Amino acid sequence: MPIKTLLDYLEAGDSLDEFLDHFPSVSREQAIAALELAFFNGIFFVIYIRVDTIGGVSGLDPRSFLIAIGAQLCNKYGKDIFPQPSSGYVSVNVDSISEQTKIIGQVINKIYSLSFLPPIIMDVQVTASNVKGQSEIYGAEIRELFNIDLALDELTLLHITLFNPVREIQKRYPNEKVVILINALDEASQHIGKNIIDIIPRSADADFPTNLRLVMTSRLGDHLTDFPDEDKLFLNKDAKEGGYREEVLKDAENYIDKQIK
């Protein structure tokens, strides 16, 4: 169960019972455990990303992975946490123009933006008192809107879609943490070339935001060798049959508490 879905229901004013009615496969105990996770030691915004070859939120491409994270941050905190071109103000005042005349107050050849950001809104005022025939008056003309998602290298995109906005969130909400849950990380190793594992930041990185937390699930494999052993928790797949299910769940709970503090 994505924790964000539960939090979205509660933020919209729905009760826990209403959520459980819409998601009968989720038990009350699971929902309560999810809330305890979300509000443990502070306020959390949780992003859920599943990596897989068929129905994943981001698929296997690292660029799509970063864009999916940026889109969720934008949906929660708004576009202002991302760099944006200045919208500006344009005023066009025309007393009289003859037939087939075209007037443009401002021409913008190209505007650079990210694909998940909402359309740019410009403050344009046009005043005309005497317009004849097929004359045209435009406050502004944008000739090209260029999405820079595909033009940037993955490291730069990491900073623009994740690091920089998360730091901006910290300035606005000092007590809030952003938790990213990455499920099925092992699937990423199937991607040819640079993959998601290559661009996932490590907590030891100098520029890793202090309010960012990563929790990942994965099968065993060589792709985990670059992650510190102290950041890993190995779960026994036979624990349920062996009667150790509760112990495994407790280990997982303690691990998550440690990772998101």
Coordinates of all heavy atoms in Angstrom, one line a residue, residues 51 59-63 65 158 182 184-191 193-202 205 214 216-219 221-227:
V51 N 10.3 0.3 -9.4 CA 11.1 0.1 -10.5 C 10.8 -1.3 -11.1 O 11.0 -2.3 -10.4 CB 12.6 0.1 -10.2 CG1 13.5 -0.1 -11.4 CG2 13.0 1.5 -9.5
G59 N 9.6 2.9 -14.6 CA 10.2 2.0 -15.6 C 11.7 1.8 -15.1 O 12.0 1.8 -14.0
L60 N 12.6 1.6 -16.1 CA 14.0 1.4 -15.8 C 14.9 2.5 -16.1 O 16.1 2.5 -15.7 CB 14.5 0.1 -16.6 CG 13.7 -1.2 -16.3 CD1 14.3 -2.3 -17.2 CD2 13.8 -1.6 -14.8
D61 N 14.4 3.5 -16.8 CA 15.3 4.6 -17.2 C 15.6 5.6 -16.1 O 14.6 6.0 -15.4 CB 14.6 5.3 -18.4 CG 15.5 6.5 -18.9 OD1 16.6 6.2 -19.4 OD2 15.1 7.7 -18.7
P62 N 16.8 5.9 -15.8 CA 17.1 6.8 -14.7 C 16.6 8.2 -14.9 O 16.2 8.9 -13.9 CB 18.7 6.8 -14.7 CG 19.1 6.4 -16.0 CD 18.0 5.4 -16.5
R63 N 16.5 8.7 -16.1 CA 15.9 10.0 -16.4 C 14.4 10.0 -16.0 O 13.9 10.9 -15.4 CB 16.1 10.4 -17.8 CG 16.0 11.8 -18.1 CD 16.3 12.1 -19.6 NE 17.6 11.6 -19.9 CZ 18.7 12.4 -19.8 NH1 18.5 13.6 -19.3 NH2 19.9 12.0 -20.1
F65 N 13.0 8.0 -13.9 CA 13.0 7.9 -12.4 C 13.0 9.3 -11.8 O 12.2 9.6 -10.9 CB 14.1 7.0 -12.0 CG 14.4 6.9 -10.6 CD1 13.6 6.2 -9.7 CD2 15.5 7.7 -10.0 CE1 13.9 6.1 -8.4 CE2 15.7 7.6 -8.7 CZ 15.0 6.8 -7.8
L158 N 19.5 15.2 -11.5 CA 19.3 14.8 -10.1 C 19.3 16.0 -9.2 O 18.4 16.1 -8.2 CB 20.5 13.9 -9.7 CG 20.7 13.6 -8.2 CD1 19.5 12.7 -7.7 CD2 22.0 12.9 -7.9
I182 N 11.8 3.3 -2.6 CA 12.1 2.7 -3.9 C 12.0 1.2 -3.8 O 12.7 0.5 -3.1 CB 13.5 3.1 -4.4 CG1 13.7 4.6 -4.3 CG2 13.8 2.6 -5.8 CD1 15.2 5.1 -4.6
A184 N 11.8 -2.7 -5.6 CA 12.3 -3.5 -6.6 C 13.5 -2.9 -7.3 O 13.6 -2.9 -8.6 CB 11.2 -3.8 -7.7
L185 N 14.4 -2.4 -6.5 CA 15.6 -1.8 -7.1 C 16.4 -2.7 -8.0 O 17.0 -2.3 -9.0 CB 16.5 -1.3 -6.0 CG 17.8 -0.5 -6.4 CD1 17.4 0.7 -7.1 CD2 18.6 -0.2 -5.1
D186 N 16.4 -4.0 -7.7 CA 17.2 -5.0 -8.5 C 16.8 -5.0 -10.0 O 17.6 -5.3 -10.9 CB 17.0 -6.4 -7.9 CG 15.6 -6.8 -7.8 OD1 14.9 -6.3 -6.8 OD2 15.0 -7.5 -8.6
E187 N 15.5 -4.6 -10.3 CA 15.1 -4.6 -11.7 C 15.9 -3.5 -12.5 O 16.0 -3.7 -13.7 CB 13.6 -4.2 -11.7 CG 12.6 -5.2 -11.1 CD 12.3 -6.4 -12.0 OE1 12.8 -6.4 -13.1 OE2 11.6 -7.3 -11.5
A188 N 16.4 -2.5 -11.8 CA 17.1 -1.4 -12.5 C 18.4 -1.9 -13.2 O 18.8 -1.4 -14.2 CB 17.5 -0.3 -11.6
S189 N 18.9 -3.0 -12.7 CA 20.2 -3.6 -13.3 C 20.0 -4.1 -14.7 O 20.9 -4.3 -15.5 CB 20.8 -4.7 -12.4 OG 19.8 -5.7 -12.3
Q190 N 18.7 -4.2 -15.2 CA 18.4 -4.7 -16.5 C 18.5 -3.6 -17.6 O 18.5 -3.9 -18.8 CB 17.0 -5.4 -16.6 CG 16.8 -6.5 -15.6 CD 15.4 -7.1 -15.7 OE1 14.9 -7.2 -16.8 NE2 14.9 -7.6 -14.6
H191 N 18.6 -2.4 -17.1 CA 18.6 -1.3 -18.1 C 20.0 -1.2 -18.7 O 21.1 -1.2 -18.0 CB 18.3 0.0 -17.3 CG 18.1 1.2 -18.3 ND1 19.1 2.1 -18.6 CD2 17.1 1.6 -19.0 CE1 18.7 3.0 -19.4 NE2 17.4 2.7 -19.7
G193 N 23.2 0.5 -20.2 CA 23.9 1.8 -20.0 C 23.7 2.3 -18.5 O 23.5 1.4 -17.6
K194 N 23.8 3.6 -18.3 CA 23.6 4.1 -17.0 C 22.2 3.8 -16.5 O 21.2 4.0 -17.2 CB 23.8 5.6 -17.0 CG 23.8 6.3 -15.6 CD 24.2 7.7 -15.6 CE 25.7 7.8 -15.9 NZ 26.2 9.2 -15.8
N195 N 22.1 3.3 -15.2 CA 20.8 2.9 -14.7 C 20.5 3.6 -13.4 O 21.3 4.4 -12.9 CB 20.7 1.4 -14.6 CG 21.7 0.8 -13.6 OD1 21.9 1.4 -12.5 ND2 22.3 -0.3 -13.9
I196 N 19.3 3.3 -12.9 CA 18.9 4.0 -11.7 C 19.9 3.8 -10.5 O 20.1 4.8 -9.7 CB 17.5 3.5 -11.3 CG1 16.5 4.0 -12.3 CG2 17.1 4.0 -9.9 CD1 15.1 3.4 -12.2
I197 N 20.4 2.7 -10.4 CA 21.4 2.4 -9.3 C 22.6 3.3 -9.4 O 23.1 3.8 -8.3 CB 21.8 0.9 -9.3 CG1 20.6 0.0 -9.2 CG2 22.9 0.6 -8.2 CD1 20.9 -1.5 -9.5
D198 N 23.0 3.7 -10.6 CA 24.1 4.5 -10.7 C 23.9 6.0 -10.3 O 24.8 6.7 -9.8 CB 24.6 4.6 -12.2 CG 25.0 3.3 -12.8 OD1 25.6 2.5 -12.0 OD2 24.7 3.0 -13.9
I199 N 22.6 6.4 -10.3 CA 22.4 7.8 -10.0 C 21.7 8.0 -8.6 O 21.5 9.1 -8.2 CB 21.5 8.5 -11.1 CG1 20.2 7.7 -11.4 CG2 22.3 8.6 -12.4 CD1 19.0 8.3 -10.6
I200 N 21.4 6.9 -8.0 CA 20.8 7.1 -6.6 C 21.9 7.6 -5.7 O 23.0 7.1 -5.6 CB 20.3 5.7 -6.1 CG1 19.0 5.3 -6.8 CG2 20.1 5.8 -4.6 CD1 18.5 4.0 -6.3
P201 N 21.6 8.7 -5.0 CA 22.6 9.4 -4.2 C 22.8 8.5 -2.9 O 22.0 7.8 -2.4 CB 22.0 10.7 -3.8 CG 20.5 10.5 -3.9 CD 20.3 9.5 -5.1
R202 N 24.1 8.6 -2.4 CA 24.4 7.9 -1.2 C 24.4 9.0 0.0 O 24.7 10.1 -0.2 CB 25.8 7.3 -1.2 CG 25.9 5.9 -1.9 CD 25.2 5.7 -3.1 NE 25.5 4.5 -3.8 CZ 25.0 4.1 -5.0 NH1 24.1 4.8 -5.6 NH2 25.4 2.9 -5.5
D205 N 27.3 11.2 0.6 CA 27.7 12.3 -0.4 C 27.6 13.6 0.3 O 26.7 13.9 1.1 CB 26.7 12.3 -1.6 CG 26.9 11.0 -2.4 OD1 27.8 10.2 -2.2 OD2 26.0 10.7 -3.3
L214 N 16.1 7.8 2.1 CA 15.9 6.8 1.1 C 15.7 5.5 1.8 O 16.5 5.1 2.6 CB 17.1 6.7 0.2 CG 17.4 8.0 -0.6 CD1 18.7 7.7 -1.5 CD2 16.3 8.4 -1.5
M216 N 14.9 1.5 0.4 CA 14.8 0.7 -0.8 C 14.6 -0.7 -0.5 O 15.1 -1.2 0.5 CB 16.1 1.0 -1.6 CG 16.3 2.4 -2.1 SD 17.9 2.7 -2.8 CE 19.0 2.8 -1.4
T217 N 13.9 -1.4 -1.4 CA 13.8 -2.9 -1.3 C 14.4 -3.5 -2.6 O 14.4 -2.9 -3.7 CB 12.3 -3.3 -1.2 OG1 11.7 -3.1 -2.5 CG2 11.6 -2.6 -0.1
S218 N 15.0 -4.6 -2.4 CA 15.7 -5.3 -3.5 C 16.0 -6.8 -3.2 O 16.1 -7.1 -2.1 CB 17.0 -4.6 -3.8 OG 17.8 -5.3 -4.8
R219 N 16.0 -7.6 -4.3 CA 16.6 -8.9 -4.1 C 18.1 -8.8 -4.0 O 18.7 -7.8 -4.3 CB 16.2 -9.7 -5.4 CG 14.7 -10.0 -5.6 CD 14.5 -10.9 -6.7 NE 13.1 -11.2 -7.0 CZ 12.3 -10.4 -7.8 NH1 12.9 -9.4 -8.5 NH2 11.1 -10.7 -8.0
G221 N 22.1 -9.3 -4.8 CA 22.8 -9.2 -6.1 C 24.0 -8.3 -6.0 O 24.2 -7.6 -5.0
D222 N 24.8 -8.3 -7.0 CA 26.0 -7.5 -7.0 C 25.7 -6.0 -7.0 O 26.6 -5.2 -6.7 CB 26.9 -7.9 -8.2 CG 27.5 -9.3 -8.1 OD1 27.5 -9.8 -7.0 OD2 27.8 -9.9 -9.1
H223 N 24.5 -5.7 -7.5 CA 24.2 -4.3 -7.6 C 24.1 -3.6 -6.2 O 24.1 -2.3 -6.1 CB 22.8 -4.1 -8.2 CG 21.7 -4.7 -7.5 ND1 21.5 -6.1 -7.5 CD2 20.7 -4.2 -6.7 CE1 20.4 -6.4 -6.8 NE2 19.9 -5.3 -6.3
L224 N 24.2 -4.4 -5.1 CA 24.1 -3.8 -3.8 C 25.5 -3.5 -3.2 O 25.6 -3.0 -2.1 CB 23.3 -4.7 -2.8 CG 21.8 -5.0 -3.2 CD1 21.2 -6.0 -2.3 CD2 21.1 -3.7 -3.2
T225 N 26.5 -3.9 -3.8 CA 27.9 -3.9 -3.2 C 28.3 -2.4 -3.0 O 29.1 -2.2 -2.1 CB 28.9 -4.5 -4.2 OG1 28.8 -3.9 -5.5 CG2 28.6 -6.0 -4.3
D226 N 27.8 -1.5 -3.7 CA 28.2 -0.1 -3.5 C 27.5 0.6 -2.3 O 27.8 1.7 -2.0 CB 27.9 0.8 -4.8 CG 28.9 0.4 -5.9 OD1 29.9 -0.2 -5.6 OD2 28.5 0.6 -7.1
F227 N 26.5 -0.1 -1.7 CA 25.8 0.5 -0.6 C 26.5 -0.1 0.7 O 26.7 -1.3 0.8 CB 24.3 0.1 -0.6 CG 23.6 0.7 -1.8 CD1 23.5 0.0 -3.0 CD2 23.1 2.0 -1.7 CE1 22.8 0.5 -4.1 CE2 22.4 2.5 -2.8 CZ 22.2 1.8 -4.0

